[in-house]
Amino acid sequence: MIAVREGQEHILSRLAGPVPPEVLAVPRTLGRVLAVAVQAPLDVPPADNSAVDGYAVGSGDIPGTGTRELDVVGDLAAGTVFTGTLGAGQAVRIMTGAPMPAGADTVLPQEIVERIGARVRIGPIGKGVNVRLRGEDVEAGGLVIEAGTVLRPQELGLITSLGLWQISVHRRPRVALLSTGDEVAEPGTPRQPGQIYDANRFTLRGSIEQCGGQVLDLGIVPDVRDTLRAQLLEASAMADVVVTSGGVSVGAFDLVKDVLEEIGSIDFWQVAMQPGRPLAFGRIGDTTFFGLPGNPVASLLAFMLFVRPALYKLAGRRRVHHSTWQARATERLPKKVGRREFKRGVLSYRDGAWEVRSTGPQGSGILSSMVAGNCLIVLEEDRGDVAAGELVLVEPFAEPL
Ligand code: AMP
Ligand code: MG
């Protein structure tokens, strides 16, 4: 038996670095991981500019009390530049975003002035107000986004605000995926007596895509040694990672183990966790292999704990573990000392605090418990039964921050 944490560390330590980068146009990079840090080639904004529609003036012309009339010597739309220099007693009408004229350092919003023909009457205002300074968003030469950052819409906009159009991101890790078992039937086709429809290939496929992988779906492989061997060799030839479900326990037809011992170097682990004890991890050639358990909750949980951090690392992400926090259990939770247990929970924020309850029956085949829940309740190895009202760790089913 190994502990969950040991398994995770072992897996991460065995992975080579991230998959190679590729250069893509910015709009194609949503959700990708930045491979090379973005440095600012220019200041944003590129010039001091007005934050309001109004009148640009030099602060020397602002009255301390009362009012003063200035000559309006220009009219500046956004995107136009005032060519001269503002003299004493002069103002320029300016629109939001237009660059500040030379000689002006303050803008009076149009609502607080009075326009009288070619003149404008102004009152007191603070020096320098309503001006957005050159470089206040991003300074030229500075680090804008670190390598290893997952690109969200706001990163894409910040990058294009620098005038950049092509950036270097990691390619998506390619993950070959297959289900094993004579009893597993393809959804949308008739089912033979004794068969069940495939759930795992679809929870896993969605999970791989959600964490930035590209899925190569190899379907269902029967419990036939030669077919399994051929499929695994083919899978390893085309993917960075191969993921299978089923066939890693010690049942009579559990061939994954035998075949992998022939074609790769694989460890078979009993992980001190519930659900989902058996796990296979190793390599077929240069490809990383994960053999997940067959039970649907167990396979998805094993994916979250072991495959997801590996895919994140291969994808080049800086952070590979999701956040956990504490919530108060609203009910008793049975727990065996000596293993890490993961219950599916419903987490909510009530009366100023996080609280969590279990989704009900927690069998490793009860996939609806994952559907009813919005988090894992993580109960540490050394913990026994949890009484109602105790604090427990929760890990929401969501993206890492
Ligand atoms: P195994 O690890 O192959 O012994 O499978 C354990 C349990 O998971 C058995 O009840 C299988 O029928 C079930 N199982 C295996 N593969 C799948 C799958 N792809 N979808 C749903 N259930 C599965
Ligand atoms: Mg099986």
Side-chain angles (χ1 to χ4, degrees), residues 314-366:
L314 288 174
R317 291 201 196 204
R318 261 178 295 127
R319 287 204 49 186
V320 301
H321 293 297
H322 286 209
S323 314
T324 55
W325 67 79
Q326 285 193 313
R328 201 163 293 286
T330 59
E331 62 188 358
R332 179 181 176 279
L333 301 168
K335 164 71 172 63
K336 268 200 192 138
V337 176
R339 64 189 192 188
R340 205 165 176 89
E341 291 188 20
F342 298 87
K343 313 219 182 255
R344 276 67 69 207
V346 179
L347 177 66
S348 55
Y349 191 74
R350 190 169 317 171
D351 300 331
W354 290 102
E355 60 177 46
V356 67
R357 65 175 169 83
S358 131
T359 55
Q362 297 284 313
S364 65
I366 301 182

Side-chain angles (χ1 to χ4, degrees), residues 180-184 223 245-249 253-254 294:
T180 70
D182 288 338
E183 80 283 23
V184 183
D223 291 318
S245 70
V248 292
S249 51
F253 296 98
D254 292 349

Side-chain angles (χ1 to χ4, degrees), residues 117-140:
R119 294 167 74 76
V120 64
R121 187 211 292 257
I122 69 169
I125 193 167
K127 176 180 171 166
V129 301
N130 298 318
V131 177
R132 303 190 287 219
L133 298 178
R134 170 179 178 160
E136 74 175 19
D137 187 3
V138 175
E139 262 183 78

